[in-house]
Amino acid sequence: MVYELGKSTENRPIIMAVISSRDNIDNIDYYKEILKKLSEPENINDTEARDLAKNGKLFVMIGCSIHASEIGASQMSMELAYRLARDNTNNINDILDNVVLLLVPSLNPDGLDIVVDWYNKNLNTPYEGSMLPWLYHKYVGHDINRDYFMFHLKETQVISRALYKDWLPQIFLSMHQMGSYGARLFIPPHYDPPNPNIDPILIRETSLLGLSIAAYLDSDGKKGVLTNALFPEWYPGYEDSAPMMHNIICLLSEAASVNIASPVFIKPSELRGGGRGFEKYQKQINFPNPWEGGWWKLRDIVDYELSTCMAILKTGAIQKQKFLENFYRMGKNAIIDGNTKPPYAFIIPENQNDINTLVEMINILIKGGIKVNRAEEEFEVNNTKYPEGTYIIYLSQPYRSYIKTLLERQKYPERVLYKGGPPEVPYDLSGWTLPLQMGIKTIKVDFKFNVKSKIIKKAEPVNIPVVPETNYGFLLNTEINDTYKVINYLLKNGCDISRFLKPLKVQNKVLPPGTFLVLNKANTKKILTEILNKTPVPVYSIESKPDLPLLHLNKPEIGIYAQWGGNIDEGWTRLLLEKYGFDFNIIRNNFPRKK
């Protein structure tokens, strides 16, 4: 069966093949319901969970080539599907009977088309296998896998919905590629430090599966497999780490690359280590079978990745019941910890400086599978009263690890390269606290409290404001992000806008320097009402010009330089400017780009 999970940024289908026995496929909704019950351990007991695990099937999701130039996994996916559908061996039948494979052949279909088109254009020319002149995603290129806690992109929204709500797999493998001159394949166990919020069961199961893959590859004659090195599980933004905070075993594979699809020849003298746990290219406990060099081809990547997938499926089929029981157990552990260990909740008041950004943050958390409550009455905590409508996130829920990871402040462990030496540089971001990034006040509560509340499915913006009557002008607060959407709309429609260079007081509120003044001319109120219906922000009236300096505002002329090879910061900047309604021009070297 093939499902369309959703659409990509450029409206391509993101598809997923469901591969299992005919009986499992015919009863797929029954097995999905078992997983739903196991994922909600507050509603069942241990005996019921064991019975469900015994009768259920292990769901394994494999996601291919999120980095589109790392094409090996996407090419491998069709061969994997064919092998499972064709072979009638006992091993394959055991897999199909016990496992439901959720195979996503491309986590980045836009990028895959870009890469294939570029490669085919230059095949059999001096530029065969050369780097692309542009990003292999409309906006973020290589950073497409760093959006799994903010959900700016359609791809991350689609896959996260499949992981945390629609399909609930117990194992997720994300297949990548790395440099050509080191190990042939990395597979977990990961390198330190671990995310402190992840259940120890999950760390052990990830290591168990990773080492079983490594043993399978070595027994299959595939040299150069590295474990316990390079890649930590600290940062929650990746597609191969965020699911760990949702009780999903996450496996990252990193195969050595070729030049897109063209082979490379590597001399033994060119092989090298580099990075945490793999400082030198030599036989060691986590790299017991070094590859000696020679030709390295796309076929080799496919073979290594096929073996990786088959090892996961075989181990999954054998340990099916245990993995399902632990899926339940980790969720239950989270609920027990949420009821017995602080923090017990986060309170998020509705009275924020930027209510629209508050709504955005709440919906980000909901997209990540977090249950958010809203108070239905006034309540008091720590001698502070909170009104009806206040958001409350209780920690006694299965994804407690994810809540703590996103809402608490991170403290990266002090790690030095040697005693008295410099600090070890983190692999990626060492901190990412959402409330700090988004300017939202949250209150951590370290004791239990009760308040009448209900779980919400979506946070909604404030009521659409009524545009006040005024003979002179309207004021908009520059501290509210969505104000810039409104101002850009007004500028495009010819409104007369200035900015105050000093603070001003209006209606018992002090507005900061930079506050926008929109003069009330013939159609201004009508235009303002139109945009406020889509983007509600506070609007204040002013009856006369105050004795304060003003700077007249013109529609900005913005140019963004896009260099050869693409620049991820340039792409993120475009995404941000589009979000807030800015027009801009792309400035390029003299090279074409497919629109």
Side-chain angles (χ1 to χ4, degrees):
M1 297 175 65
V2 176
Y3 292 82
E4 183 177 308
L5 299 176
K7 298 291 187 183
S8 68
T9 295
E10 298 190 85
N11 209 38
R12 289 176 176 84
I14 301 174
I15 62 171
M16 180 180 77
V18 179
I19 302 171
S20 193
S21 68
R22 171 51 58 189
D23 181 70
N24 292 347
I25 295 294
D26 290 343
N27 294 282
I28 196 69
D29 290 337
Y30 167 74
Y31 293 115
K32 288 175 69 176
E33 184 61 27
I34 286 178
L35 296 185
K36 187 173 187 302
K37 291 177 180 178
L38 290 172
S39 73
E40 299 173 345
E42 65 271 32
N43 298 325
I44 58 176
N45 59 40
D46 291 357
T47 301
E48 291 170 321
R50 279 193 295 271
D51 291 340
L52 289 167
K54 182 178 180 180
N55 295 323
K57 304 299 176 184
L58 184 73
F59 279 43
V60 177
M61 179 181 283
I62 296 176
C64 302
S65 302
I66 192 168
H67 293 150
S69 61
E70 302 166 5
I71 64 167
S74 287
Q75 306 305 304
M76 177 277 305
S77 63
M78 298 300 98
E79 191 165 336
L80 175 63
Y82 179 72
R83 179 179 295 185
L84 292 172
R86 180 203 65 186
D87 290 358
N88 192 30
T89 63
N90 289 335
N91 279 337
I92 296 297
N93 289 332
D94 285 344
I95 290 170
L96 297 177
D97 286 342
N98 291 286
V99 177
V100 175
L101 172 60
L102 312 174
L103 181 59
V104 184
S106 176
L107 295 169
N108 180 9
D110 297 346
L112 188 63
D113 280 358
I114 292 170
V115 168
V116 170
D117 288 348
W118 176 254
Y119 181 81
N120 286 338
K121 178 181 179 180
N122 293 288
L123 190 62
N124 298 320
T125 75
Y127 305 104
E128 179 179 329
S130 62
M131 65 179 286
L132 277 73
W134 38 74
L135 299 172
Y136 51 66
H137 181 274
K138 180 178 179 180
Y139 295 113
V140 299
H142 200 74
D143 268 1
I144 186 174
N145 73 323
R146 288 168 172 82
D147 184 48
Y148 274 80
F149 74 114
M150 288 291 280
F151 308 119
H152 292 293
L153 307 175
K154 290 184 178 179
E155 291 83 359
T156 56
Q157 294 170 22
V158 166
I159 298 302
S160 295
R161 185 171 63 245
L163 285 167
Y164 311 145
K165 295 183 179 181
D166 295 344
W167 290 92
L168 300 170
Q170 290 70 65
I171 299 172
F172 176 59
L173 168 65
S174 179
M175 310 196 81
H176 289 245
Q177 291 170 214
M178 55 184 177
S180 305
Y181 293 93
R184 296 303 90 191
L185 184 76
F186 164 83
I187 202 75
H190 297 95
Y191 189 70
D192 284 324
N195 186 302
N197 298 312
I198 295 173
D199 193 301
I201 295 173
L202 192 60
I203 295 175
R204 293 297 191 188
E205 287 190 329
T206 301
S207 299
L208 167 69
L209 266 174
L211 290 174
S212 72
I213 294 166
Y216 184 92
L217 287 161
D218 278 323
S219 67
D220 202 29
K222 293 179 172 58
K223 297 183 176 183
V225 178
L226 175 69
T227 63
N228 299 89
L230 304 181
F231 303 101
E233 55 195 30
W234 173 262
Y235 174 58
Y238 301 128
E239 88 292 0
D240 57 83
S241 59
M244 297 188 83
M245 283 139 260
H246 296 78
N247 306 320
I248 299 172
I249 302 167
C250 274
L251 295 158
L252 164 69
S253 72
E254 292 269 1
S257 293
V258 294
N259 291 334
I260 302 183
S262 298
V264 294
F265 185 82
I266 300 174
K267 301 175 183 177
S269 60
E270 294 176 310
L271 291 166
R272 57 179 180 264
R276 306 164 180 82
F278 191 49
E279 284 73 22
K280 294 182 179 180
Y281 192 93
Q282 61 185 16
K283 184 173 183 176
Q284 56 193 48
I285 196 70
N286 62 338
F287 190 61
N289 193 9
W291 182 69
E292 298 91 349
W295 282 105
W296 184 248
K297 304 176 181 179
L298 178 58
R299 179 71 247 179
D300 296 310
I301 298 174
V302 168
D303 286 342
Y304 273 64
E305 292 183 331
L306 269 173
S307 292
T308 297
C309 293
M310 292 305 300
I312 292 172
L313 296 174
K314 288 178 180 179
T315 304
I318 295 169
Q319 297 288 339
K320 181 264 296 186
Q321 184 168 345
K322 193 63 178 177
F323 284 134
L324 286 171
E325 288 178 1
N326 281 341
F327 180 64
Y328 156 82
R329 177 60 55 191
M330 289 183 284
K332 186 169 184 178
N333 288 347
I335 291 173
I336 292 172
D337 286 348
N339 281 317
T340 58
K341 299 177 182 178
Y344 292 97
F346 286 90
I347 294 173
I348 308 177
E350 189 176 30
N351 183 23
Q352 303 272 348
N353 189 53
D354 188 342
I355 184 67
N356 291 18
T357 299
L358 166 65
V359 168
E360 182 181 4
M361 190 185 86
I362 294 296
N363 286 328
I364 285 171
L365 297 174
I366 292 173
K367 286 176 183 176
I370 293 175
K371 297 174 184 176
V372 179
N373 285 55
R374 200 163 190 190
E376 296 184 294
E377 61 185 7
E378 183 183 74
F379 64 99
E380 184 174 325
V381 171
N382 275 342
N383 299 316
T384 301
K385 289 186 177 180
Y386 297 96
E388 178 184 349
T390 298
Y391 297 101
I392 306 169
I393 300 177
Y394 293 105
L395 274 290
S396 57
Q397 51 179 294
Y399 298 161
R400 177 177 183 270
S401 170
Y402 192 59
I403 299 168
K404 290 177 90 279
T405 295
L406 293 189
L407 297 186
E408 288 184 330
R409 296 190 182 198
Q410 293 76 47
K411 185 176 181 182
Y412 192 77
E414 184 177 348
R415 299 173 58 84
V416 294
L417 296 178
Y418 50 86
K419 187 176 181 179
E424 179 186 79
V425 177
Y427 179 81
D428 209 310
L429 297 183
S430 61
W432 49 80
T433 310
L434 272 189
L436 296 181
Q437 289 185 335
M438 302 184 76
I440 301 300
K441 181 182 179 181
T442 62
I443 297 94
K444 184 169 67 171
V445 183
D446 289 336
F447 57 87
K448 290 185 177 182
F449 66 95
N450 291 312
V451 58
K452 184 181 178 183
S453 64
K454 65 177 180 180
I455 296 174
I456 61 171
K457 294 183 178 179
K458 184 179 180 182
E460 298 291 347
V462 295
N463 294 331
I464 297 171
V466 176
V467 180
E469 296 293 336
T470 177
N471 292 318
Y472 178 64
F474 308 98
L475 301 175
L476 287 92
N477 190 344
T478 188
E479 294 178 318
I480 297 172
N481 290 335
D482 280 348
T483 292
Y484 295 89
K485 291 183 185 179
V486 174
I487 293 299
N488 280 321
Y489 184 85
L490 298 177
L491 283 172
K492 291 171 187 177
N493 284 275
C495 294
D496 192 330
I497 304 175
S498 298
R499 302 189 77 170
F500 286 99
L501 300 182
K502 293 185 177 181
L504 74 157
K505 187 174 182 180
V506 59
Q507 299 172 20
N508 297 318
K509 182 177 178 66
V510 177
L511 296 177
T515 293
F516 294 99
L517 168 65
V518 183
L519 295 182
N520 188 14
K521 295 187 175 180
N523 293 317
T524 303
K525 184 174 181 180
K526 176 177 178 291
I527 296 167
L528 186 56
T529 301
E530 288 174 355
I531 183 60
L532 291 181
N533 284 330
K534 301 174 184 176
T535 308
V537 297
V539 178
Y540 307 91
S541 62
I542 185 170
E543 291 301 323
S544 61
K545 180 181 179 181
D547 188 19
L548 291 171
L550 284 167
L551 178 67
H552 190 263
L553 186 64
N554 295 312
K555 186 172 178 287
E557 295 184 8
I558 301 172
I560 303 177
Y561 174 62
Q563 68 187 47
W564 181 275
N567 182 288
I568 296 172
D569 289 341
E570 177 266 330
W572 280 116
T573 302
R574 280 190 284 108
L575 182 64
L576 183 67
L577 291 177
E578 287 180 12
K579 178 179 180 180
Y580 291 103
F582 288 92
D583 290 333
F584 54 86
N585 293 305
I586 303 297
I587 303 169
R588 302 183 184 278
N589 292 18
N590 188 24
F591 65 91
R593 189 193 192 287
K594 180 180 178 182
K595 293 184 178 180

